[in-house]
Amino acid sequence: MKIQKDFFSRNAKTVAKELLGKILVRKINNKEFRAKIVETEAYFGKEDPASRASKGKNKVSEMMCDEPGKILVYNVHKYKMFNIVTGKKNEPSAVLIRALEPINFTGRCNGPGLLSGFLEIEKSFHGQEIFSLENIWIENSTMAFKIAKSYRIGVTKDLPEKLRFYIKDNWFVSKK
DNA sequence: AATCAGATTTCCT
DNA sequence: GGAAATCTGATTA
């Protein structure tokens, strides 16, 4: 069952945690690529120095204030980052998907750059709602696992709070 | 490497 | 004068 809008309309931290273990499905050329979400990070607005929304108004911060469930794609170095807007409208927050565990295919998705490259995350997803697209969505799952947390990765200025969540002992997380 | 925001320049009514 | 197009520099999990 596809995850719907209200799932995302909660606090980014909650959504980040609950996204773990869910199944991300990407349909390319009528083939479904399924992968388990194993690593996420929560991002906020101006209170968050690692977030782009912290420095005034820009395209990313505007999107973070938009309706929950919208896909937010932005570039870092040569990679594309795959985020989903969370929280209520006008409250900037989002969750970054950092790593996936391939289920019905082989490939490395253990890092946001590799992930978006493999899943062909393109700018065309930007601003779309993930629960209303036909070629990408997230499904519920009932698999059991343990959640671990740490500080976020790759950010220059992090908050004194652990906002990265991942599945404990999973081989596919980007960093152990 | 790619993107965007801000500055600067051009050009049209 | 104002809008659009182009250039430049900063930024970046």
Side-chain angles (χ1 to χ4, degrees), chain A residues 14-122:
Chain A
T14 309
V15 178
K17 266 185 277 192
E18 294 196 13
L19 270 178
L20 293 175
K22 299 284 188 290
I23 309 300
L24 179 68
V25 188
R26 172 78 167 101
K27 199 191 270 186
I28 303 172
N29 295 330
N30 266 353
K31 285 180 185 168
E32 284 185 6
F33 294 91
R34 309 172 72 81
K36 184 165 71 174
I37 297 170
V38 298
E39 184 178 347
T40 59
E41 286 177 4
Y43 282 83
F44 300 97
K46 63 176 193 296
E47 316 297 324
D48 184 352
S51 164
R52 293 188 160 200
S54 66
K55 282 177 187 165
K57 195 179 160 192
N58 57 59
K59 278 202 169 170
V60 172
S61 65
E62 278 179 26
M63 182 63 69
M64 285 174 77
C65 295
D66 212 320
E67 297 285 343
K70 289 205 174 187
I71 297 172
L72 166 55
V73 182
Y74 64 92
N75 273 76
V76 171
H77 303 294
K78 55 181 167 181
Y79 303 115
K80 293 195 170 55
M81 305 302 244
F82 182 60
N83 303 256
I84 300 172
V85 178
T86 61
K88 291 173 186 135
K89 194 169 166 66
N90 297 322
E91 288 175 5
S93 66
V95 172
L96 168 67
I97 311 291
R98 282 191 53 91
L100 306 171
E101 174 187 334
I103 294 176
N104 68 341
F105 62 96
T106 53
R108 287 187 197 146
C109 296
N110 52 330
L114 292 167
L115 178 156
S116 54
F118 199 89
L119 292 182
E120 297 180 23
I121 303 298
E122 296 301 337

